[in-house]
Structure formats: structure tokens, C-alpha cells
Amino acid sequence: MPEEFLERLFKPFSQVDSSSTRRYGGTGLGLAISKHLAEMMGGRIWAKSSTGLGSTFHFTILARPGAPSPHPVGHFLEGKRALIVEGNGTAREVLAAWLQSWGMAVTAVGEATPDLLREPFDVLLMDSNVAEELASTLGDRPLILLNPVGQRHRLSALSRARWLVKPVKYNSLLKHLADIFQLGDGLPSAEQSSVDGSIARFANRKVLLAEDNPVNQKVALKMLQRLGISADLARSGREVLEAMEKADYDLIFMDIQMPDMDGLETTKMIRSTEKKRPYIVAMTAHALQEIKDRCLDAGMDDYMSKPVRIEELKALLERIPE
């Protein structure tokens, strides 16, 4: 930026370009706040810029050396050997960095060779699709499956495995490893550890979530996962019908408003066939009794208002008949 603009950068509500068609957004407060914070910490902030080349910002603060803190996860992971098999390079690097920060010796690869799998790793973290192909060669070592969001966990041959939905959360992974190395490997997964018997029966049943909103998809799938349930995903009424051609679903969570074919019409189509009758739960932002009646009249079995809360979801699952 031009030299004459530099002195305006750190003033409140001041912008380089204040016209109605300005190229830069913001309120002009960010750098002013940064300046105030730097000065409060005994330092300063400044910028250097060359037109057409770019800008460089500098700051200084005064700080005292901190006392060494204990290892955040204790000693139970120190020296443990982990193998990560994950095709996504970014995800693989993140997982490896977390494990290494916990004191583990990590081998991270995009593909696993037979020779590599014969090495004495203490735990395997593996993309679920890869693990399915290698199931007969994995032995009985602790295994954490990395499952793509929306994909049903279907590895019956590896039912002993724990699983996490991508993108993997730091605390969830740490909880799994803590369970494996401190409490033994015969425990249920972290997501399933608090699931009672009335809900656990859905863990091995076919569940479908019909929802077109990406945010709602992630929230609902994560809630179901926390209750020990892995669900397939359909983004429209037509995708629901296509999914039902391939599998017999026991339970369907049906959004009312979807593209191509809404939830009401989709339910009527399902009920008009002679196939297996799934339990269908309406999911809608409308809480009016009139809407609820329309859902039940269309052939749905139950009803949930958005935003769905996990306590309400748990209560609904508990009241579904065996």
C-alpha cells in the first residue's frame, strides 16, 4: 500500500479505502485493537509496505519464561508405536502431529503394504474403507477406524474396532487412546460408552438420515454417532427412494422440506409399497400441530422439531418399539 496510508492503519474506524465500493472490508478496528493489546503488554506494533509488493507487520511484547508444564496426557502414550493409514495428506499430517505431540512414535502413510502391517505397532488408525480391504491381515491389535461423515460403519469383520467420524476431533481421539492404553481394549468406543441398552439396539440396524442442509447433516450425524448410531445420508426425497432400493432401513429421519421431492411425498411413496415398513421420524423447523398432523397423516410414525437436541433424540429412540 502507499506510504501515506501507513499512519492511518492503527487508528480506530480508519480504513485505507472508505468509498462505498471499497476493495477491503472490515470496520477499521482490528489493527487498532492489536495496537492497544501490544502496548498493554509492554510492546508496540508497526508495518512496512511497498506498493505492489506487499506489507509486513511486526510487533513486540514483554513476556516472562513460563514454567515447564507436565505432559498434557500423562505418560501412557510415551513410546507407543502408531500406524496411520489415511489417503488425505492434510488429515494424515494433522493426526501424526497430534500423536507425536503426545509422545508416540508415528508412521503415517497413504497406503499400507503387507510388510508394514507386520511391524509391531501398538495401535492402528486407518481409513475405514482401507481397513475393510485389509481386515484379514490386521490381527488383534487395537484399531481405530476413521469413517467418512455420512458413511455407514459396516465392518462386521472388525466389530471389535473403535471408530471416529472424519474430520477427527482432538479430544475424541485422545479419549480413545486413553481407553486403549489405560483401561484395556475390551471397552466400547468413546462415542458408545454411555449408550444404554434401549438405544444400543440401533447400533446394528440400518438408519437413514434424509436432510439437504449441510450444517444440519453434520449436526444430526454427530448426535447419532454420540448415541452409538451410524447413519447413511440422503440429500433429497429421490435419494431416499434410491437408497431404499439398495437396503432395507429400520429407521429413517425425514426432513420435511427437501429438493425434488419433499418428506411428505417421499413418505407416501414409501408407504405405498409392499416392502419393509421402516419407522419414519419427521424432522422440521415447524412446531405447529397442523404440521405434525400432516406428517402423521402422510404415514410418519413420530415427529421432532428443529433444532434437535440430543436429549430429545435419545428420548425418541427409547420410545420406538422393539
Side-chain angles (χ1 to χ4, degrees):
M1 68 187 78
E3 185 75 23
E4 61 267 23
F5 289 141
L6 290 178
E7 63 182 35
R8 295 165 51 185
L9 282 179
F10 300 100
K11 294 180 179 179
F13 302 107
S14 176
Q15 295 171 316
V16 169
D17 181 3
S18 59
S19 67
S20 61
T21 57
R22 65 177 185 263
R23 296 169 56 193
Y24 313 105
T27 61
L29 278 176
L31 289 174
I33 293 173
S34 299
K35 178 176 183 290
H36 185 59
L37 290 173
E39 291 174 347
M40 287 178 64
M41 300 179 72
R44 66 189 185 95
I45 188 170
W46 70 98
K48 294 181 179 179
S49 184
S50 299
T51 304
L53 295 179
S55 304
T56 305
F57 289 78
H58 307 262
F59 75 91
T60 63
I61 61 170
L62 295 176
R64 292 188 299 272
S69 58
H71 198 287
V73 295
H75 65 278
F76 63 89
L77 295 180
E78 287 286 348
K80 300 293 186 182
R81 294 191 63 191
L83 172 65
I84 300 171
V85 183
E86 167 57 58
N88 183 289
T90 300
R92 188 167 64 244
E93 290 176 8
V94 169
L95 291 171
W98 287 348
L99 297 184
Q100 288 167 347
S101 73
W102 300 332
M104 302 185 75
V106 181
T107 300
V109 297
E111 297 180 3
T113 63
D115 288 343
L116 183 61
L117 290 173
R118 282 193 285 269
E119 293 189 22
F121 292 104
D122 298 296
V123 63
L124 309 176
L125 290 81
M126 193 169 291
D127 177 270
S128 58
N129 294 317
V130 174
E132 184 176 20
E133 298 173 1
L134 301 174
S136 62
T137 65
L138 299 181
D140 58 357
R141 290 169 291 186
L143 173 64
I144 299 176
L145 300 177
L146 311 175
N147 212 43
V149 64
Q151 177 175 302
R152 183 176 176 82
H153 176 69
R154 60 183 186 278
L155 303 177
S156 57
L158 296 173
S159 57
R160 63 178 176 79
R162 300 162 186 269
W163 52 273
L164 288 169
V165 172
K166 301 180 187 180
V168 174
K169 302 291 180 60
Y170 179 98
N171 287 335
S172 297
L173 176 57
L174 182 56
K175 176 64 168 62
H176 276 291
L177 294 171
D179 286 349
I180 289 171
F181 292 115
Q182 285 191 317
L183 306 177
D185 192 39
L187 300 177
S189 70
E191 282 84 356
Q192 297 177 0
S193 59
S194 62
V195 177
D196 59 41
S198 62
I199 293 178
R201 59 194 167 100
F202 289 101
N204 297 318
R205 296 189 182 181
K206 297 286 286 182
V207 178
L208 179 66
L209 171 68
E211 170 64 66
D212 65 303
N213 182 283
V215 174
N216 292 343
Q217 291 169 5
K218 291 181 180 179
V219 171
L221 289 170
K222 187 62 178 178
M223 284 187 183
L224 290 169
Q225 178 199 346
R226 287 179 59 188
L227 295 175
I229 300 170
S230 181
D232 293 340
L233 179 64
R235 298 167 181 82
S236 69
R238 295 194 186 281
E239 287 192 14
V240 171
L241 298 181
E242 291 171 1
M244 293 191 67
E245 290 294 324
K246 302 173 183 177
D248 290 328
Y249 288 96
D250 303 290
L251 174 60
I252 300 177
F253 291 96
M254 185 81 73
D255 183 30
I256 299 303
Q257 296 178 314
M258 292 187 294
D260 298 328
M261 183 184 297
D262 65 26
L264 296 174
E265 185 180 355
T266 304
T267 300
K268 291 176 181 178
M269 292 284 291
I270 294 172
R271 296 307 190 213
S272 67
T273 68
E274 297 299 324
K275 291 188 175 182
K276 181 177 179 178
R277 181 183 174 90
Y279 195 92
I280 301 179
V281 179
M283 300 179 73
T284 174
H286 300 288
L288 299 176
Q289 182 63 40
E290 176 186 353
I291 301 298
K292 181 176 181 179
D293 292 341
R294 288 178 59 192
C295 293
L296 297 177
D297 290 342
M300 297 184 180
D301 300 286
D302 215 323
Y303 178 99
M304 294 194 73
S305 297
K306 297 180 182 178
V308 176
R309 295 176 176 81
I310 194 165
E311 296 82 5
E312 297 170 349
L313 178 58
K314 183 174 183 290
L316 180 139
L317 291 168
E318 288 173 339
R319 67 175 179 260
I320 294 178
E322 295 281 353

